[in-house]
C-alpha cells in the first residue's frame, strides 16, 4: 500500500459520522522500537532500528524517523545501514514486547469482551455493545488511545468502520498516532481512489492480472464486466474482490474465547498413500495449529485428527495431551500417534486434518522445568518470520522437501483467512 512512513497520514476529528462504525482496528505504532525508546528516552526523535545488528539479519521494525530514510521491516540490515548510517540499532527483546502487548490487550478487554487479537500489536474490537457504557465509537477510540498512552507510554493508531477490512485500512492510514473514521455512507467514496493492492488478498500475480485489464484503483474493479474479471482471476477471487471493492466484508469480530477448538485441514489434489508424505503433512498442519494457539494465547488439552479416504469414508480420533500445549512438535507427536493407530495402510487419503481441542487460556512454560522451551523459542521465531514474509517463509526442515505437486491441495483454517 502507501508508504509506511506516515507521510500520507489521514485522521478524523470528533465531527466524523461514526454511527455505524462500531468495529475498531487498533495497531501500536512502530511497536518494538517504541518499547525500546521507553528505556532510552535519549534516542527519541532519532532513527532507531530494532534487529540483530549483524549484516546478514533483517530489520524487525524501525521508528518513523528511520522510515523517512526508506528503512522498513524485513529489509536486510546491511541495506538499512546504507540508507540510514546514523540509525541506532538495538537487538530485539521479545519478553519485554510480550509484556507490553499483554498490558495493551488487557486495556482492550476492559472496554469490550469482543476483542479479536490478530498479532502481538494489533486487534479488532466490536464496540457496538459498549456504547451505553462508554459513548460513541469515536470517543471509545479516543479513550483507548489515551489509556494506552498513559498506562504504557506507547502510541497506537485506531481505524473505525463498519467492517473489519475497512477498519484495518483506516488504522493504517492514520499512522502514526492517529484515529480515522470511515463513515458508513462514505464507504464507496473512501475506497474508490485507493490502489487495488489496498484490497485484502491483492498482490503479486493477482495484481498483475488486474493491471493487465487496466484495473489500477478500486473503482476500476466495479467498472469492468464481471465476466472479464472472472476470466482474469478466477471465480472465487473475482467474487471476493467485487465484494471488498463495495466495502462488503461479513466477517465478524471473533474472540479467542469463543473458539472451542483450532484446526487446519487439507484436501489433496490427488489422493496420497505414501505414509511418510502423510506424516510430513501432519507436521505442517500441527505447526499451523500451534502457531494459531500461540497467537491467541491458548493451549490445547487434546489433539484430534481427521482422515478422509478416496472413497470418502471419514474417521476422526482424539487423544489428550499429557500437558496442555501450544507447541507444534507436541501436537504433531500426538497427531502421528493417532494416525499410526487409525490409518488403514495401503488406502489412499484424500483429506487430512489436525485440531487442537479442550482449549484453555494461558502461556506454556511457566513451570520451573520446561522441556519444551527450546521448541517453543524456535517456533516463536518462526512466528515472527511468518509475520514478516508470509506463511511459506519458514517450515521445519522435514517439510522442505515438500513440493506443490507432491501434495498441493486446498487448505482450510477455521477462519477461512490467511493466518
Ligand atoms: P507491525 O504492526 O506491522 O509494525 P510496527 O508496529 O513496528 O509499525 P507500524 O504498525 O506503526 O507500522 O508489527 C508489530 C511488531 O511486530 C513490530 O514492531 C515488530 C514485529 N514484526 C516483526 O517481527 N517482523 C515483521 O516483519 C513485522 C512487520 C513486524
Ligand atoms: Mg504496529
Amino acid at each position: 500500500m502507501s508508504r509506511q512512513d506516515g507521510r500520507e497520514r489521514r485522521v478524523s476529528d470528533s465531527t466524523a459520522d461514526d454511527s455505524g462504525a462500531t468495529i475498531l482496528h487498533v495497531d501500536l505504532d512502530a511497536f518494538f522500537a517504541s518499547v525500546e525508546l521507553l528505556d532510552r528516552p535519549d534516542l527519541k526523535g532519532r532513527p532507531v532500528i530494532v534487529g540483530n545488528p549483524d549484516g546478514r539479519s533483517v530489520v524487525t521494525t524501525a521508528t518513523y524517523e528511520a522510515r523517512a530514510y526508506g528503512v522498513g521491516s524485513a529489509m536486510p540490515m546491511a541495506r538499512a545501514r546504507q540508507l540510514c548510517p546514523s540509525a541506532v540499532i538495538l537487538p530485539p527483546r521479545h519478553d519485554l514486547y510480550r509484556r507490553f502487548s499483554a498490558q495493551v490487550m488487557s486495556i482492550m478487554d476492559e472496554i469490550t469482551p469482543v476483542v479479536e487479537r490478530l498479532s502481538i500489536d494489533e486487534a479488532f474490537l466490536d464496540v457496538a455493545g459498549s456504547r451505553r457504557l462508554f459513548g460513541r465509537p469515536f470517543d471509545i477510540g479516543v479513550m483507548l488511545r489515551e489509556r494506552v498512552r498513559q498506562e504504557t507510554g506507547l502510541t497506537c493508531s485506531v481505524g473505525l468502520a463498519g467492517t473489519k477490512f475497512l477498519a484495518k485500512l483506516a488504522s493504517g492510514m492514520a499512522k502514526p498516532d492517529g484515529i480515522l473514521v470511515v463513515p458508513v455512507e462514505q464507504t464507496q467514496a473512501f475506497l474508490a481512489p485507493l490502489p487495488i493492492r489496498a484490497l485484502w488478498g491483492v498482490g503479486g500475480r493477482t495484481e498483475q492480472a488486474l493491471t493487465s485489464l487496466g484495473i489500477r484503483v478500486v473503482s476500476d474493479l466495479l467498472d469492468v464486466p464481471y465476466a472479464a474479471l472472472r476470466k482474469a482471476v478466477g471465480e472465487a477471487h473475482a467474487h471476493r474482490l467485487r465484494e471488498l471493492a463495495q466495502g462488503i466484508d461479513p466477517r465478524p469480530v471473533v474472540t479467542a474465547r469463543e473458539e472451542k477448538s483450532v484446526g487446519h485441514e487439507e484436501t489433496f489434489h490427488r489422493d496420497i498413500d505414501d505414509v511418510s508424505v502423510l506424516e510430513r503433512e501432519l507436521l505442517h498442519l500441527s505447526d499451523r495449529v500451534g502457531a494459531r494457539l500461540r497467537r491467541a494465547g491458548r493451549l490445547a488439552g487434546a489433539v484430534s485428527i481427521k482422515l478422509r479416504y478416496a472413497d470418502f469414508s471419514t474417521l476422526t480420533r482424539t487423544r489428550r495431551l499429557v500437558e496442555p500445549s501450544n507447541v507444534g512438535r507436541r501436537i504433531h507427536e500426538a497427531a502421528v500417534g493417532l494416525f499410526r493407530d487409525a490409518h488403514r495402510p495401503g488406502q489412499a487419503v484424500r483429506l487430512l486434518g489436525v485440531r487442537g481441542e479442550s482449549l484453555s487460556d494461558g502461556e506454556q512454560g511457566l513451570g520451573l522445568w520446561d522441556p519444551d522451551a527450546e521448541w517453543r523459542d524456535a517456533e516463536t521465531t518462526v512466528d515472527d518470520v511468518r509475520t514478516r514474509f508470509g506463511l511459506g517463509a519458514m517450515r521445519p526442515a522435514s517439510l522442505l522437501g515438500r513440493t506443490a505437486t507432491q501434495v498441493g491441495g486446498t487448505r482450510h483454517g477455521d477462519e477461512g483467512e490467511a493466518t
Side-chain angles (χ1 to χ4, degrees):
M1 248 197 23
S2 62
R3 299 171 60 99
Q4 293 295 298
D5 62 6
R7 276 189 227 179
E8 294 165 28
R9 185 169 176 269
R10 283 167 65 178
V11 293
S12 304
D13 60 29
S14 65
T15 60
D17 175 11
D18 61 354
S19 48
T22 56
I23 297 185
L24 272 65
H25 180 260
V26 183
D27 189 307
L28 293 162
D29 300 322
F31 177 40
F32 293 2
S34 306
V35 171
E36 293 299 335
L37 286 187
L38 296 174
D39 253 7
R40 294 285 307 271
D42 55 306
L43 296 179
K44 221 169 166 189
R46 292 193 44 193
V48 174
I49 293 173
V50 174
N52 287 310
D54 83 85
R56 286 175 311 161
S57 73
V58 295
V59 171
T60 302
T61 192
T63 57
Y64 280 75
E65 286 80 357
R67 294 180 198 195
Y69 290 83
V71 174
S73 290
M75 175 181 284
M77 193 58 87
R79 172 97 185 108
R81 281 175 189 273
Q82 270 172 4
L83 287 171
C84 186
S86 61
V88 176
I89 299 172
L90 302 171
R93 294 187 288 172
H94 291 280
D95 284 349
L96 198 58
Y97 313 142
R98 274 196 282 271
R99 282 215 299 278
F100 275 93
S101 171
Q103 208 182 339
V104 171
M105 298 289 166
S106 77
I107 295 174
M108 297 185 201
D109 289 339
E110 286 174 30
I111 291 174
T112 169
V114 194
V115 178
E116 177 177 343
R117 191 182 157 156
L118 290 180
S119 76
I120 192 162
D121 85 326
E122 61 178 318
F124 285 115
L125 280 68
D126 189 335
V127 298
S130 313
R131 282 177 286 198
R132 219 155 31 114
L133 216 53
F134 297 116
R136 298 167 46 196
F138 184 85
D139 294 339
I140 295 176
V142 169
M143 169 186 73
L144 173 62
R145 279 171 26 80
E146 187 55 23
R147 278 197 60 185
V148 169
R149 200 181 58 75
Q150 280 190 355
E151 293 172 32
T152 68
L154 299 171
T155 65
C156 62
S157 298
V158 173
L160 293 94
T163 66
K164 281 175 148 180
F165 159 63
L166 289 165
K168 182 155 171 151
L169 266 182
S171 71
M173 291 181 179
K175 277 187 170 294
D177 197 12
I179 179 167
L180 179 66
V181 181
V182 183
V184 174
E185 316 79 80
Q186 284 173 33
T187 297
Q188 216 53 69
F190 173 83
L191 283 170
L194 300 181
I196 45 173
R197 58 165 42 237
L199 296 182
W200 175 59
V202 177
R205 268 189 303 167
T206 309
E207 190 178 10
Q208 272 172 22
L210 294 173
T211 313
S212 70
L213 284 182
I215 301 173
R216 289 191 172 76
V217 295
V218 174
S219 57
D220 296 338
L221 263 172
L222 300 174
D223 293 340
V224 292
Y226 185 70
L229 191 61
R230 196 177 51 198
K231 192 151 170 260
V233 300
E235 172 75 46
H237 237 51
H239 179 74
R240 203 189 50 193
L241 285 174
R242 269 290 167 98
E243 293 210 316
L244 288 176
Q246 296 169 77
I248 300 170
D249 171 14
R251 294 173 302 161
V253 177
V254 183
T255 64
R257 267 143 210 79
E258 287 169 33
E259 285 183 303
K260 297 217 161 36
S261 66
V262 162
H264 279 282
E265 53 189 49
E266 170 144 23
T267 306
F268 305 123
H269 280 322
R270 60 179 179 73
D271 303 335
I272 293 177
D273 55 13
D274 182 333
V275 169
S276 64
V277 173
L278 290 168
E279 291 191 0
R280 271 212 308 269
E281 262 325 282
L282 285 175
L283 177 54
H284 175 64
L285 293 165
S286 304
D287 200 41
R288 295 197 58 182
V289 170
R292 280 267 299 283
L293 289 167
R294 291 192 290 279
R295 209 183 57 187
R298 317 233 46 211
L299 298 169
V303 170
S304 74
I305 63 161
K306 178 160 145 191
L307 265 169
R308 178 167 294 148
Y309 290 100
D311 64 1
F312 277 86
S313 61
T314 305
L315 49 90
T316 58
R317 295 284 185 276
T318 305
R319 173 174 293 180
R320 290 210 70 77
L321 294 172
V322 180
E323 241 183 286
S325 179
N326 56 17
V327 173
R329 281 286 147 166
R330 290 284 168 250
I331 295 164
H332 180 239
E333 275 171 10
V336 165
L338 289 165
F339 173 75
R340 289 183 181 161
D341 289 347
H343 179 51
R344 309 196 288 249
Q347 288 216 32
V349 174
R350 177 186 162 77
L351 172 149
L352 204 54
V354 173
R355 184 163 284 282
E357 299 182 346
S358 303
L359 301 191
S360 56
D361 286 335
E363 295 288 336
Q364 210 176 346
L366 297 177
L368 281 180
W369 183 67
D370 177 13
D372 282 337
E374 275 179 38
W375 279 121
R376 192 177 22 268
D377 284 353
E379 291 182 9
T380 306
T381 306
V382 174
D383 292 344
D384 287 351
V385 173
R386 281 200 181 123
T387 334
R388 217 177 290 165
F389 300 113
L391 252 186
M394 250 175 111
R395 289 189 179 144
S398 55
L399 289 175
L400 288 177
R402 180 175 177 277
T403 64
T405 47
Q406 232 176 346
V407 292
T410 318
R411 303 222 172 87
H412 292 289
D414 294 328
E415 299 166 318
E417 183 172 346
T419 51

